[in-house]
Amino acid sequence: MHILNFAYPLTDAQLEQINTLLQPQTVVKVHHIPVQFDPAEDFFPQLETLLSAIPLSTEELQSLPILINLPSLNSIAVMLLTSLHGRMGYFPSILRLRSKPNQTPPVFEVAEIINLQALRDQSRSERW
């Protein structure tokens, strides 16, 4: 599994949690792609710059198993997912992290892997 990480670097503990959830697959490579948008500028050109930083070809995006750790700003995350869907041909699975209670400084653990394509397919069957 290739992880496209658009958030904080993943810790060794988080990678262990991901591997546990992915069994029998394992993480092959984590591609850390920093996200820094200027809120005073239009997001579309900045999104194109972000997409060009993904170190995978269109063919690799369509054929490799990929997991996404989304950026935290919701508008960037939605634009990124929309663009990735167009390039990949399906919605990728995403990581959901949660903070552990009573930790200073905050410590985040992997809560689940969400299969967005399965969610989309299920939602489609519930259309009227």
Side-chain angles (χ1 to χ4, degrees), residues 6 33 37 41-42 61-62 71-72 77 90 93 117-118:
F6 297 96
I33 305 155
F37 278 34
E41 299 294 327
D42 288 342
L61 286 172
Q62 293 173 12
S72 58
Y90 64 94
S93 293
Q117 186 63 43

Side-chain angles (χ1 to χ4, degrees), residues 65-121:
I66 295 175
L67 180 61
I68 309 292
N69 192 20
L70 291 168
S72 58
L73 188 61
N74 60 4
S75 53
I76 297 171
V78 169
M79 292 174 69
L80 178 62
L81 271 177
T82 303
S83 295
L84 286 172
H85 179 278
R87 292 166 189 232
M88 298 171 79
Y90 64 94
F91 282 108
S93 293
I94 61 170
L95 287 174
R96 183 174 75 86
L97 303 179
R98 65 177 167 220
S99 61
K100 291 174 125 180
N102 305 319
Q103 299 284 316
T104 304
V107 174
F108 292 87
E109 64 185 357
V110 177
E112 62 184 322
I113 294 173
I114 301 171
N115 183 332
L116 293 180
Q117 186 63 43
L119 175 61
R120 182 217 183 262
D121 294 344

